[in-house]
Amino acid sequence: MKIHKEGRRILFVTLLVLLVLNLLVFNFNKGADLFNRLFAGATVIVFLLILQFFRSPFRHLFTHEDLLLAPADGKVVVIENVFEPEYFEDERKQISIFMSPINVHVTRNPISGLVKYFKYHPGNYLVAWHPKSSTQNERTTVVVESDAGPLVLFRQIAGAMARRIVWYVNEGDEVSQGEEFGFIKFGSRVDLFVPLDTEVKVELGQKVKGGETVICQLKVK
C-alpha cells in the first residue's frame, strides 16, 4: 500500500492545519482535558478519512487484448444500451461503476491501444447516480482504438463530493491496460461505452476492482 501522488500535498497541508488547531485548542483551553482529548481524537479521524481517499494499493495486473478490465474500484450501477451523442453518435452498451468515498480513486486504462479522442468538459456536480451526470457533470471523455480493433469510450465523471478530475492521457498516446490514466479526487463514477455485441461479464450491483475485474469481452472480427 502506498499514498497516491495526488494526495501528498493535500495530506501534508491537512496535517499542518490539524496540528495547529490542536496546539491552539490545548493552549487556550488548558483546563478542559476531556474536550481537548475528544478534539484531538476527532482530528485524527478526519486525517485518517482523508488518508484513505488517497491510498493506492498494489494490484496484480494482467493484459488481454479483447478483455476490458474495470477502470476503477466500485459497484456496477448501470448496464444498458444507450445513445452515445459525443463521439459515436449511435447506440452503445454502457457499463457504469460508482465509486463510493471509501473506494480507491485511481482510474485505470480498461484496455490497451491508441487514444483517438480526448476531451475535458467542465460542468455541474450532480450526484453520481443522477441520470444526467454522465452528460452534465464535470468529466473527461477518452476514446481508445483497442489492440483488438473495436473502439472503446470511457469517462471520468465528477459527483457531488468530487471536485477535481486529474488525467494523464492525451490524444495520440499509446496506453497500456491496467495502467493509471487518471484520478478522481474524492470519488464519483466511471462510464464505459462498448459495441452492442460486447459480452458483459459483470452484473448489476457487483463490486469490482480496478485493473483486476474483467468487465466485458469484445467481439473480435
Side-chain angles (χ1 to χ4, degrees), residues 160-172:
M161 288 184 63
R163 296 288 167 151
R164 188 181 174 199
I165 292 174
V166 181
W167 61 90
Y168 312 132
V169 297
N170 292 290
E171 207 166 293

Side-chain angles (χ1 to χ4, degrees), residues 9 11 14 19 31 41 44 70 84 92 104 106 143 166 171 195 211-212:
R9 183 176 179 182
L11 289 167
T14 301
L19 284 173
V44 170
E84 198 294 302
R92 296 278 151 163
V104 173
V106 175
V143 177
V166 181
E171 207 166 293
E212 289 189 353

